Amino acid sequence: MYNHHMAAKHGQTPSDARATGIRSPRVRGLLAAGAILLAAALVASALLWALSQASPQQAQESGATSQEIPLVVEESPSGWVTGPDGAVRYFDPETHAYHDGWLDDGDDRYYIDGATGVPATGWLEVDGLRRFFDETGRMQTGLVTDSTGMTYYIKPDTGELATHEWIVLDGVFQAFDDDGSLVSLGEVIPPNDAENMANMTARQHAVVDACDTTPWPGFGLCAAWVSNVFVNAGEPSVGGDACDIARAWCHSSDLSELKPGMVIAVPSHPRTENGKIWGHVCIYAGNGLVRDSGRDSTRWVKLGTWLAWYGVTDTPQWGWANGISLE
């Protein structure tokens, strides 16, 4: 209890004595330390808030985690915010609620889940089309490889997944199956291809050159195109359809025997109605490439792709057209 008599003895009122106590060195030191700690906490909070304002891509590139950035969320969050769980969310700058739907951020496009604010990753059907988003949520187009290791092609102009069709990539046709996956055996090149290319005869060169100059004859006329190529190269015409060529002249599936200028054929394949009846045929040009007559043009196709696409019901085989070696 405060001693009024002691205060009066020293000529102080109770209020004077309390004021003097507040100004004591010990109390002033405690107050100063508290002020410093408060200022430091405010600065740290501001820095952490600034660090949390990053797109998913920036957050991933920085290597930041929820443990490294314990988010302090203000009352009105805006833009990209990293939560305590490490997830990056997007808040609408105007409503400060989770963004819902498509979001264009610079050159990148995201699809935000309105219930969580988190951008979609992986495969997602949006607006009736199957879309693919990488691990940061950015929508991808062109060739994409998902977590299963399968490769697909998403058309850049429409965002549509290519299915059961051929797409020209780097000047070569690539085939994509009904589910959109790339159909290929990989890079398939005969083991002695370099030697065969170096030792090509004039007749082989003439056939390979004619592959590049012989025009497309029309849909369903792959065998007619092959025959035209040989005629344009100064060789005898090749009679029959692709099924006839396969059975008459193509009897090897040994890659070491495949040489430039040979025909490769299957008697049947399920890719088209015509193919089921008459099969398909192409010409090997070397360097792991074949040339054939497709649905609307002649095409350069990787050997591994051609063998995988057409070798579904019958194994593709090869040989010299008309049984005449060009070597």
Side-chain angles (χ1 to χ4, degrees):
M1 179 178 293
Y2 182 78
N3 192 322
H4 293 267
H5 297 289
M6 290 295 295
K9 181 179 179 180
H10 292 285
Q12 294 177 314
T13 65
S15 60
D16 291 336
R18 283 193 293 271
T20 300
I22 291 175
R23 290 193 297 270
S24 69
R26 182 172 180 275
V27 173
R28 289 199 303 271
L30 290 173
L31 289 174
I36 292 171
L37 290 174
L38 178 60
L42 290 173
V43 170
S45 177
L47 287 173
L48 291 172
W49 174 249
L51 287 172
S52 72
Q53 306 304 297
S55 70
Q57 180 187 4
Q58 293 168 328
Q60 185 185 63
E61 290 173 352
S62 70
T65 66
S66 58
Q67 286 73 32
E68 295 166 338
I69 304 177
L71 177 65
V72 180
V73 180
E74 63 182 20
E75 292 183 0
S76 302
S78 176
W80 294 109
V81 175
T82 302
D85 58 355
V88 181
R89 296 173 170 82
Y90 190 86
F91 291 83
D92 189 289
E94 295 182 359
T95 66
H96 306 293
Y98 291 147
H99 185 83
D100 187 12
W102 287 112
L103 170 69
D104 292 314
D105 186 9
D107 293 332
D108 299 322
R109 197 169 203 211
Y110 302 83
Y111 191 81
I112 309 298
D113 182 349
T116 65
V118 176
T121 59
W123 291 105
L124 180 69
E125 185 170 322
V126 184
D127 300 332
L129 295 178
R130 197 174 173 212
R131 319 273 188 168
F132 184 77
F133 303 84
D134 69 10
E135 65 276 9
T136 68
R138 291 178 297 173
M139 189 182 81
Q140 302 295 293
T141 59
L143 283 175
V144 300
T145 301
D146 66 11
S147 59
T148 68
M150 300 297 288
T151 299
Y152 302 82
Y153 185 78
I154 299 174
K155 301 174 183 178
D157 53 341
T158 64
E160 181 182 3
L161 179 68
T163 58
H164 196 86
E165 62 183 299
W166 294 78
I167 302 292
V168 181
L169 302 173
D170 296 327
V172 178
F173 279 80
Q174 301 275 27
F176 296 87
D177 219 333
D178 292 342
D179 63 353
S181 60
L182 175 67
V183 178
S184 178
L185 300 178
E187 291 294 330
V188 177
I189 297 178
N192 50 354
D193 196 61
E195 179 182 354
N196 289 336
M197 292 293 292
N199 296 321
M200 281 175 60
T201 66
R203 295 172 69 189
Q204 286 176 289
H205 273 295
V207 169
V208 171
D209 290 344
C211 285
D212 212 15
T213 59
T214 300
W216 178 68
F219 175 67
L221 299 175
C222 58
W225 176 81
V226 166
S227 182
N228 292 342
V229 167
F230 276 83
V231 170
N232 291 340
E235 299 293 334
S237 63
V238 183
D241 54 36
C243 181
D244 296 326
I245 295 173
R247 290 172 177 164
W249 313 120
C250 302
H251 305 298
S252 175
S253 57
D254 183 351
L255 279 174
S256 66
E257 296 179 356
L258 180 57
K259 299 179 180 181
M262 281 187 169
V263 290
I264 305 173
V266 289
S268 177
H269 69 82
R271 301 299 184 177
T272 64
E273 290 303 315
N274 285 349
K276 293 176 183 178
I277 303 171
W278 294 295
H280 194 50
V281 62
C282 68
I283 298 173
Y284 183 62
N287 290 325
L289 293 174
V290 302
R291 186 84 167 185
D292 71 356
S293 180
R295 181 176 295 276
D296 52 16
S297 68
T298 61
R299 313 173 296 187
W300 285 115
V301 181
K302 290 184 177 180
L303 175 60
T305 299
W306 201 97
L307 297 178
W309 181 262
Y310 292 108
V312 179
T313 52
D314 290 279
T315 300
Q317 293 186 305
W318 38 85
W320 294 114
N322 295 320
I324 302 173
S325 173
L326 302 179
E327 293 185 315

